Amino acid sequence: MTKDREGQEAELPLRERKKRATRQRISDVATGLFLTGGFDEVTVAEVARAADVSAMTVFNYFPRKEDLFLDRIPQAIELFTQAVRERGPGQSPLAALRGLALGLLDQRHPLSAVDDDFPAFWRIVLASPALRARAREGVEDLEHALARTFAGTGSGFADPELAAALTVAAYRSVYATTARRLLAGEPAAALADDHGARVGAAFDALERALG
């Protein structure tokens, strides 16, 4: 968690902080169980018992079992749309998103793809048709949310939906390439600079295409 995000969390009401902590604890417990036991084999009831909550509580925080493992989809949507909404005066949406992408890389955030611990996570996703389908839905959710944000914040894009589709596709391509190379055994430290360069090239291409 970044210092800025820690500050934002600290400003939340106590009730909201407790809810977020409970959500994170359930997700962490579920992830550990899925990594050791397999996503399809571990049940929601087993997650609930291990997290010391009821199955109903689990579903209150995570409508679907897949969301227990792919719990960063809401965070991705929040980060990308927030970067556009809260960009600096005179800063373009693409410049704000470029800054976000490079910041995620610097943090070795899960949404950057660059960390030696991530391949174990992706192997679970690749092994489960349900998780792969939810991941695709998550990408679509991000694209739709970004299009709405472009349209509602004076982005200057003539076609906000096209701009969002191209932006998400460009970032997804960079992410997927790094993920494949990590899965093939390359160390994260050797990929970080190249990942950053590909992020820059992707946004350079978006700037040329979308102005």
Side-chain angles (χ1 to χ4, degrees):
M1 184 180 292
T2 65
K3 290 183 179 180
D4 287 345
R5 193 165 180 82
E6 287 176 347
Q8 292 171 2
E9 293 281 352
E11 292 173 0
L12 293 171
L14 177 60
R15 177 181 173 84
E16 182 61 26
R17 295 203 303 273
K18 286 184 175 180
K19 287 173 62 177
R20 293 194 178 198
T22 299
R23 184 184 190 278
Q24 188 62 55
R25 179 167 57 84
I26 293 170
S27 175
D28 290 345
V29 168
T31 296
L33 290 174
F34 295 149
L35 287 171
T36 57
F39 177 79
D40 294 325
E41 290 73 22
V42 174
T43 67
V44 172
E46 289 172 325
V47 171
R49 284 196 298 271
D52 196 24
V53 297
S54 68
M56 183 176 295
T57 297
V58 173
F59 283 118
N60 284 340
Y61 286 97
F62 302 94
R64 290 183 282 184
K65 180 184 175 184
E66 293 79 15
D67 294 332
L68 281 162
F69 200 63
L70 298 173
D71 64 311
R72 291 191 183 272
I73 291 174
Q75 185 186 19
I77 292 171
E78 177 187 359
L79 287 173
F80 277 69
T81 56
Q82 183 182 50
V84 175
R85 290 195 311 271
E86 299 181 2
R87 65 189 187 275
Q91 186 181 38
S92 73
L94 291 179
L97 290 169
R98 182 196 296 258
L100 170 65
L102 293 174
L104 293 173
L105 171 61
D106 289 341
Q107 299 165 31
R108 297 300 189 267
H109 191 283
L111 295 174
S112 76
V114 185
D115 193 288
D116 288 322
D117 292 336
F118 297 160
F121 172 88
W122 293 319
R123 289 189 183 98
I124 295 291
V125 175
L126 292 172
S128 169
L131 284 174
R132 294 201 305 272
R134 180 66 185 109
R136 288 192 294 270
E137 287 183 9
V139 171
E140 293 174 359
D141 291 344
L142 173 58
E143 182 182 315
H144 296 325
L146 197 56
R148 290 193 298 271
T149 304
F150 283 162
T153 59
S155 64
F157 295 129
D159 188 337
E161 292 185 357
L162 175 62
L166 291 174
T167 301
V168 172
Y171 190 74
R172 180 179 179 275
S173 176
V174 173
Y175 184 105
T177 296
T178 296
R180 283 194 296 270
R181 292 174 66 181
L182 281 170
L183 284 166
E186 293 187 56
L191 293 176
D193 288 346
D194 181 68
H195 182 92
R198 285 185 288 109
V199 166
F203 278 95
D204 286 346
L206 288 169
E207 292 280 5
R208 291 192 297 270
L210 297 171

